[in-house]
Amino acid sequence: MEIAVYSCRPDEIQAMDKFEKEYGVSLRRTEEPLNEKTVSMARGCQAISIITTQVTAPLLDVLHTAGIAYISTRTSAMTILMFLMLKNWVCM
């Protein structure tokens, strides 16, 4: 599985290296947040990982078209996802 990791912080790199080896996944990392300009990095991935990023309906549409099946959040609280839009996106 290939995962695009947005807003990757320096303090996360060691844990991500371990995650790649332990689970046999490939991580595409960037310090940039997910937005209209950076979403193209996710093409070819099956999942994305974000942190404190607002995901809008247009971004969800682009992710869906790109074949993204999973969105994970690296937060300890609920992320700013609009669940109504997410529900509609998943049910397409």
Side-chain angles (χ1 to χ4, degrees):
M1 175 179 270
E2 196 158 6
I3 303 168
V5 180
Y6 291 91
S7 303
C8 185
R9 301 183 324 241
D11 64 307
E12 296 178 303
I13 292 174
Q14 186 176 6
M16 287 189 187
D17 288 343
K18 182 180 176 184
F19 182 82
E20 276 184 304
K21 291 175 186 169
E22 190 171 326
Y23 294 100
V25 298
S26 176
L27 301 179
R28 292 185 198 174
R29 306 173 202 179
T30 182
E31 293 178 2
E32 298 297 319
L34 173 66
N35 58 45
E36 292 81 9
K37 294 178 183 175
T38 61
V39 70
S40 62
M41 185 184 91
R43 292 203 187 280
C45 294
Q46 294 76 41
I48 64 166
S49 179
I50 57 175
I51 188 167
T52 60
T53 302
Q54 184 175 7
V55 180
T56 62
L59 276 176
L60 285 175
D61 288 339
V62 173
L63 292 168
H64 177 73
T65 300
I68 301 301
Y70 307 98
I71 300 174
S72 78
T73 61
R74 302 183 322 278
T75 56
S76 59
M78 199 55 101
T79 296
I80 309 170
L81 290 176
M82 297 181 178
F83 287 102
L84 181 58
M85 286 189 300
L86 183 59
K87 178 182 173 189
N88 290 336
W89 179 65
V90 171
C91 294
M92 290 180 169

